[in-house]
Amino acid sequence: MPDDLAMMDATAQADLVRTGAATPLELVDAAINRIEKVNDQVNAVIHPLFEKARAAAGAANTSDTPFHGVPIVLKDHDGSSAGDPLHHGNKLLKELGHIADEDSYLFSKLRAAGFIPVGKTNVPEFGLMTTTEPEAYGPTRNPWNTGHSTGGSSGGSAAAVASGMVPVAHAGDGGGSIRIPASECGLYGLKPTRGRVSLGPEGGEVWAGFVQRHVLTRSVRDSAAVLDRLCGPMSGDPYFAPPPARPFLDEVGADPGRLRIGIRTSAPAAMAETDDECVAAVEDAARLLESLGHHLEMASPPALDETELASLFVTVMTTDVVREVDAVGRIAGREIGPDDFEPLTWTYYEMGKTYTSAQHLEAIDGAHAWTRRVSSWFASAAGIGGGGEFDLLLTPTVAEPPPEIGDLVGTEQDPLRGMARATVFAAYTAPFNVTGQPAMSVPLYWEASRNLPIGVQLVADHTREDLLLRVAGQLEVARPWADRRAPVHA
Amino acid sequence: MSDPLAVLDATAQAELVRSGAASPLELVDAAIARIEAVDPELNAVVLRRFEHARVEAASEDLPAGPFRGVPFLTKDLACPTVGEPQTDGMRAAKDAGWLATETSHLASRFCRAGLVNLGRTNSPELGLVPTTEPTAWGPTHNPWDPNLTPGGSSGGSAAAVAAGLVPFAHASDGGGSIRIPASACGLVGLKTSRGRISVGPSRGELSSFLSVQFALTRSVRDAAALLDVAAGPEPGDPVVAPAPSMHYRELAVRTPGALRVGLMIRAPGDTSPIQPECVIAAEHAAKLLEGLGHDVEVSHPEAYDDPDRSAMFATLWGVDAAVKIATWENLLGRTLAEEDVEPATWVMASSGRDVLATTYLETVSRMQVWARAMANWWAPGPEGHGFDLLLTPTLGEPPVPLGTFAPAPGDPFAALLRAGPFTPFTPSFNLTGQPAISLPLHQSAEGMPIGAHLVAAYGRDEVLLAVAAQLEAASPWADRMPRVHA
């Protein structure tokens, strides 16, 4: 067995099993060793599933599943895996030792693809923050610099991959929660188009369709190959994305042609000031894309300048927070109160309870109308209202480099400090949760002084993950990041 | 004197133009003459744009689409065209002389297909009830028996098409509003899959995704060809139904393989009796399907009986009524008070106005879980039951007299509750987003049309069209004429 499994992506690890160079149990044991070696430094895995994983690996028969025997971690939010803890970063659920009784389709599909979950990863409470520092489980630290945040909400998953514990980690993205930690931990993070991955059977849509689920990976091919397994409608989905013309994996390495790409380095809806380093990351990516033959110019959908976006996002999100918080009450079987939740969550809860249906639907109508204005900028938009000219939009993923641990967390004097700071970090990502368009963060740039990764975001029109994956594959070859090793690494 | 054009479907009328046998203006003038001659008995066409239509029909700019020169009518609900009057059946909008401020993608698509819009057809206020008797415009009469309802909410369009005024007309369906009038007036009424036809550009969803836009037609081939015109994604559509493998007009003439059909002849949840003629309609359709080689057995999704489905629908419907009122308040720039709207509208909007967003979302979430249980009956594989079609009567009763749903003084709820036994079958598929069709396969002893209702899995609109074409060939309805006909 090769000695540096920690640097191998899932596709390479699966090849070891396929060729007989390693068994599933060896891969799983090696991952467990890596977690035990570095988890103390980053606090990524909060629920080890080691015995269950070893049993599954031992029982795994020879199989032609694409990721047979490859270890994975699951985010402790954005999905439910039967028999495993599910605490959403909430201290009451932790106290209750809550165990999920249902499998999300997503997790069934990951297992059916051959993956073996070895643990569950840390999240901010209900995934509501752009850092991963829940009171319940403490902060997850960035493997590139442990004084800094991993971003969130899939920060535990990001730290697990960036520190080499596992090659792939489940993640979800309702406002940037795949892309932000990808940016801050030097990973590849693709948020698929709305309806690409079923959110069932426990639900139909989350945050009015803002939330999509997928994985964080080091390699582009892993992300594409996993998406091939996760995509596809499940019975009773309220809607789903049209199927791709061919497997996503086939797009990695395919020539994207000469694309017209707009650049934007000012935050949508003026939600943030953009740090010079984050602008520099975009300029660097733009030069790289130009060198690959693409046409780049300063341009973006004018609708991104409209300012009502933040308030409609909050209306939709906080209404859903009420549903999640009340669900904790049902699990606990008692009245819940502010002491059971973090101040920010409770504030969102109280806000969410004030809206009428009409206000909620007005926000959704606003989101839909705004989406059309954004989408019509893209060349692939069909129909009477089509005719846009751009293939992709290039922006920073985040407006600032990874913040220090504690920077986004409330203090005694200002318990809601995180609310405004979270907005800054989601300023570039959340708009594309509202539109439901696919978007990705690609790790091309590291801030020299603090060794902190800064990703760039590329956005395509609805259903065009194919374009994103082609470009990501191109960038990965032109400026490979696979050999970059975080200081905390197994 | 009867107009021979009145019995031609849109495909046949378009062929006359294509072959040079008739000009668009001749078709349009003939339709105008039919409307002027017959509509006084029906009150189907409430807003007329005859002069505009004549100019468009005579113009060289009339688009060379598949329906070039064919006369058309648009329901007076949604589907706006900028600068043109529209009331959504509201007195307040009528009195204000309101003009639409944008053109919907669907109206643009109809226009590009070469259709010539002659006006707007009657709709109940905001399309909220299954009859078409708004105080703003008065009742639309059923061409088969003017004392009876044409159904609703697309009753104006249904009466116009059934009476031969136009070969087909725009319609919409949020709880059965295409299928109910199709059954009551003897037409083909396809409720399309959620996300099949865009509701843009300013809207992403209508009525919490309950409502879809399309049309009422006499022939199945018209429904298929018009769907080719209307369907397809627009920029930023929040939901896009899976695309068909080829044109619907081609899919509709392909004989479907042997289909597995579940027959249901009692009301979901057994909440109200189904009148014998409606039971006969479904059983008759079952026999026809068997004769065509399909496999029919008595079965339906267990979740269809869940009493919660009506509660969920009522919550979403009430909220939608409140939102619609609020939207019109914005458009008209004034508050709408109780006296500005009909009593039934007011009670429905009142029931929805105070519903908290959290209650709404909880209802949507519950509905989505229930929809999965429903879908399971159609799903293949070890988990599902593997049915292709559910067959039910479209309605629980033959068309009822006009006035049946009129609010009793002091009890506006009674009228709403009266809609329950009339339409027990249709609203569930607005919740699930599945395609469903009403076909005019049966006539009651009194000579009234009675529809059969077929429901397919989400996205499979083409199987409904294909089986509808088979049934149309096996048991044609084109020669049946209502009492009031051009």
Side-chain angles (χ1 to χ4, degrees), chain B residues 105-124:
Chain B
H105 289 320
L106 182 57
S108 299
R109 282 170 179 257
F110 286 147
C111 186
R112 278 198 195 184
L115 292 168
V116 180
N117 186 28
L118 300 185
R120 286 198 171 261
T121 60
N122 205 8
S123 163

mmCIF file of all heavy atoms in Angstrom, chain B residues 105-124:
data_model
loop_
_atom_site.group_PDB
_atom_site.id
_atom_site.type_symbol
_atom_site.label_atom_id
_atom_site.label_comp_id
_atom_site.label_asym_id
_atom_site.label_seq_id
_atom_site.Cartn_x
_atom_site.Cartn_y
_atom_site.Cartn_z
ATOM 1 N N HIS B 105 -44.254 35.609 -20.814
ATOM 2 C CA HIS B 105 -43.588 34.766 -21.807
ATOM 3 C C HIS B 105 -44.605 33.930 -22.579
ATOM 4 O O HIS B 105 -44.466 33.722 -23.786
ATOM 5 C CB HIS B 105 -42.584 33.826 -21.127
ATOM 6 C CG HIS B 105 -41.374 34.530 -20.591
ATOM 7 N ND1 HIS B 105 -40.743 35.549 -21.267
ATOM 8 C CD2 HIS B 105 -40.660 34.351 -19.450
ATOM 9 C CE1 HIS B 105 -39.699 35.958 -20.568
ATOM 10 N NE2 HIS B 105 -39.624 35.254 -19.460
ATOM 11 N N LEU B 106 -45.640 33.464 -21.868
ATOM 12 C CA LEU B 106 -46.614 32.595 -22.531
ATOM 13 C C LEU B 106 -47.393 33.371 -23.591
ATOM 14 O O LEU B 106 -47.593 32.874 -24.703
ATOM 15 C CB LEU B 106 -47.559 31.978 -21.487
ATOM 16 C CG LEU B 106 -48.598 31.002 -22.037
ATOM 17 C CD1 LEU B 106 -47.937 29.850 -22.791
ATOM 18 C CD2 LEU B 106 -49.482 30.474 -20.911
ATOM 19 N N ALA B 107 -47.799 34.600 -23.256
ATOM 20 C CA ALA B 107 -48.505 35.415 -24.253
ATOM 21 C C ALA B 107 -47.603 35.668 -25.455
ATOM 22 O O ALA B 107 -48.054 35.640 -26.606
ATOM 23 C CB ALA B 107 -48.955 36.735 -23.623
ATOM 24 N N SER B 108 -46.312 35.885 -25.203
ATOM 25 C CA SER B 108 -45.374 36.082 -26.315
ATOM 26 C C SER B 108 -45.273 34.829 -27.169
ATOM 27 O O SER B 108 -45.200 34.906 -28.395
ATOM 28 C CB SER B 108 -43.973 36.418 -25.785
ATOM 29 O OG SER B 108 -44.003 37.601 -25.043
ATOM 30 N N ARG B 109 -45.271 33.678 -26.499
ATOM 31 C CA ARG B 109 -45.166 32.417 -27.253
ATOM 32 C C ARG B 109 -46.417 32.176 -28.098
ATOM 33 O O ARG B 109 -46.318 31.727 -29.247
ATOM 34 C CB ARG B 109 -44.933 31.245 -26.288
ATOM 35 C CG ARG B 109 -43.496 31.157 -25.798
ATOM 36 C CD ARG B 109 -43.374 30.137 -24.670
ATOM 37 N NE ARG B 109 -41.993 30.014 -24.208
ATOM 38 C CZ ARG B 109 -41.180 28.993 -24.525
ATOM 39 N NH1 ARG B 109 -41.616 28.004 -25.284
ATOM 40 N NH2 ARG B 109 -39.944 28.960 -24.064
ATOM 41 N N PHE B 110 -47.588 32.450 -27.538
ATOM 42 C CA PHE B 110 -48.830 32.318 -28.318
ATOM 43 C C PHE B 110 -48.750 33.222 -29.549
ATOM 44 O O PHE B 110 -49.116 32.847 -30.656
ATOM 45 C CB PHE B 110 -50.044 32.694 -27.464
ATOM 46 C CG PHE B 110 -50.423 31.667 -26.418
ATOM 47 C CD1 PHE B 110 -50.965 32.051 -25.198
ATOM 48 C CD2 PHE B 110 -50.253 30.299 -26.656
ATOM 49 C CE1 PHE B 110 -51.327 31.110 -24.238
ATOM 50 C CE2 PHE B 110 -50.615 29.349 -25.708
ATOM 51 C CZ PHE B 110 -51.157 29.763 -24.492
ATOM 52 N N CYS B 111 -48.267 34.438 -29.307
ATOM 53 C CA CYS B 111 -48.175 35.415 -30.384
ATOM 54 C C CYS B 111 -47.198 34.947 -31.466
ATOM 55 O O CYS B 111 -47.486 34.999 -32.662
ATOM 56 C CB CYS B 111 -47.752 36.733 -29.751
ATOM 57 S SG CYS B 111 -47.754 38.084 -30.880
ATOM 58 N N ARG B 112 -46.055 34.458 -31.033
ATOM 59 C CA ARG B 112 -45.045 33.986 -31.994
ATOM 60 C C ARG B 112 -45.509 32.777 -32.784
ATOM 61 O O ARG B 112 -44.989 32.493 -33.859
ATOM 62 C CB ARG B 112 -43.766 33.592 -31.250
ATOM 63 C CG ARG B 112 -42.907 34.769 -30.942
ATOM 64 C CD ARG B 112 -41.507 34.287 -30.631
ATOM 65 N NE ARG B 112 -40.749 35.353 -30.001
ATOM 66 C CZ ARG B 112 -39.480 35.270 -29.686
ATOM 67 N NH1 ARG B 112 -38.824 34.136 -29.922
ATOM 68 N NH2 ARG B 112 -38.855 36.270 -29.126
ATOM 69 N N ALA B 113 -46.449 32.038 -32.198
ATOM 70 C CA ALA B 113 -46.976 30.870 -32.911
ATOM 71 C C ALA B 113 -47.916 31.287 -34.036
ATOM 72 O O ALA B 113 -48.393 30.439 -34.785
ATOM 73 C CB ALA B 113 -47.710 29.952 -31.938
ATOM 74 N N GLY B 114 -48.197 32.587 -34.116
ATOM 75 C CA GLY B 114 -49.078 33.086 -35.174
ATOM 76 C C GLY B 114 -50.533 33.195 -34.758
ATOM 77 O O GLY B 114 -51.388 33.561 -35.565
ATOM 78 N N LEU B 115 -50.834 32.880 -33.495
ATOM 79 C CA LEU B 115 -52.212 32.974 -33.013
ATOM 80 C C LEU B 115 -52.645 34.436 -32.970
ATOM 81 O O LEU B 115 -51.843 35.327 -32.688
ATOM 82 C CB LEU B 115 -52.321 32.367 -31.613
ATOM 83 C CG LEU B 115 -52.125 30.849 -31.547
ATOM 84 C CD1 LEU B 115 -51.957 30.402 -30.097
ATOM 85 C CD2 LEU B 115 -53.318 30.150 -32.191
ATOM 86 N N VAL B 116 -53.915 34.650 -33.247
ATOM 87 C CA VAL B 116 -54.466 36.009 -33.187
ATOM 88 C C VAL B 116 -55.442 36.057 -32.019
ATOM 89 O O VAL B 116 -56.479 35.396 -32.025
ATOM 90 C CB VAL B 116 -55.173 36.379 -34.503
ATOM 91 C CG1 VAL B 116 -55.719 37.801 -34.397
ATOM 92 C CG2 VAL B 116 -54.203 36.247 -35.675
ATOM 93 N N ASN B 117 -55.084 36.839 -31.015
ATOM 94 C CA ASN B 117 -55.881 36.905 -29.794
ATOM 95 C C ASN B 117 -57.067 37.842 -29.989
ATOM 96 O O ASN B 117 -56.893 39.011 -30.324
ATOM 97 C CB ASN B 117 -54.991 37.393 -28.644
ATOM 98 C CG ASN B 117 -55.702 37.340 -27.313
ATOM 99 O OD1 ASN B 117 -56.591 36.517 -27.120
ATOM 100 N ND2 ASN B 117 -55.330 38.238 -26.406
ATOM 101 N N LEU B 118 -58.268 37.322 -29.779
ATOM 102 C CA LEU B 118 -59.473 38.126 -29.997
ATOM 103 C C LEU B 118 -59.976 38.770 -28.719
ATOM 104 O O LEU B 118 -60.875 39.606 -28.771
ATOM 105 C CB LEU B 118 -60.595 37.250 -30.567
ATOM 106 C CG LEU B 118 -60.317 36.573 -31.910
ATOM 107 C CD1 LEU B 118 -61.562 35.854 -32.404
ATOM 108 C CD2 LEU B 118 -59.876 37.597 -32.945
ATOM 109 N N GLY B 119 -59.449 38.357 -27.579
ATOM 110 C CA GLY B 119 -59.936 38.961 -26.343
ATOM 111 C C GLY B 119 -59.709 38.046 -25.163
ATOM 112 O O GLY B 119 -58.937 37.089 -25.235
ATOM 113 N N ARG B 120 -60.405 38.411 -24.090
ATOM 114 C CA ARG B 120 -60.235 37.662 -22.847
ATOM 115 C C ARG B 120 -61.547 37.027 -22.413
ATOM 116 O O ARG B 120 -62.613 37.613 -22.569
ATOM 117 C CB ARG B 120 -59.695 38.582 -21.757
ATOM 118 C CG ARG B 120 -58.224 38.906 -21.984
ATOM 119 C CD ARG B 120 -57.568 39.435 -20.723
ATOM 120 N NE ARG B 120 -56.130 39.525 -20.918
ATOM 121 C CZ ARG B 120 -55.269 38.605 -20.495
ATOM 122 N NH1 ARG B 120 -55.689 37.545 -19.831
ATOM 123 N NH2 ARG B 120 -53.984 38.759 -20.718
ATOM 124 N N THR B 121 -61.407 35.819 -21.852
ATOM 125 C CA THR B 121 -62.595 35.070 -21.442
ATOM 126 C C THR B 121 -62.816 35.168 -19.942
ATOM 127 O O THR B 121 -61.881 35.336 -19.156
ATOM 128 C CB THR B 121 -62.457 33.584 -21.817
ATOM 129 O OG1 THR B 121 -61.314 33.049 -21.145
ATOM 130 C CG2 THR B 121 -62.306 33.413 -23.320
ATOM 131 N N ASN B 122 -64.075 35.021 -19.583
ATOM 132 C CA ASN B 122 -64.519 35.230 -18.209
ATOM 133 C C ASN B 122 -63.832 34.272 -17.232
ATOM 134 O O ASN B 122 -63.577 33.111 -17.537
ATOM 135 C CB ASN B 122 -66.032 35.028 -18.158
ATOM 136 C CG ASN B 122 -66.680 35.774 -17.002
ATOM 137 O OD1 ASN B 122 -66.022 36.570 -16.328
ATOM 138 N ND2 ASN B 122 -67.966 35.529 -16.798
ATOM 139 N N SER B 123 -63.526 34.806 -16.056
ATOM 140 C CA SER B 123 -62.941 34.031 -14.966
ATOM 141 C C SER B 123 -63.603 34.473 -13.672
ATOM 142 O O SER B 123 -63.933 35.643 -13.500
ATOM 143 C CB SER B 123 -61.432 34.311 -14.895
ATOM 144 O OG SER B 123 -60.898 33.900 -13.645
ATOM 145 N N PRO B 124 -63.816 33.532 -12.736
ATOM 146 C CA PRO B 124 -64.269 33.977 -11.416
ATOM 147 C C PRO B 124 -63.192 34.853 -10.783
ATOM 148 O O PRO B 124 -62.041 34.814 -11.193
ATOM 149 C CB PRO B 124 -64.446 32.674 -10.643
ATOM 150 C CG PRO B 124 -63.523 31.709 -11.315
ATOM 151 C CD PRO B 124 -63.520 32.104 -12.769
#
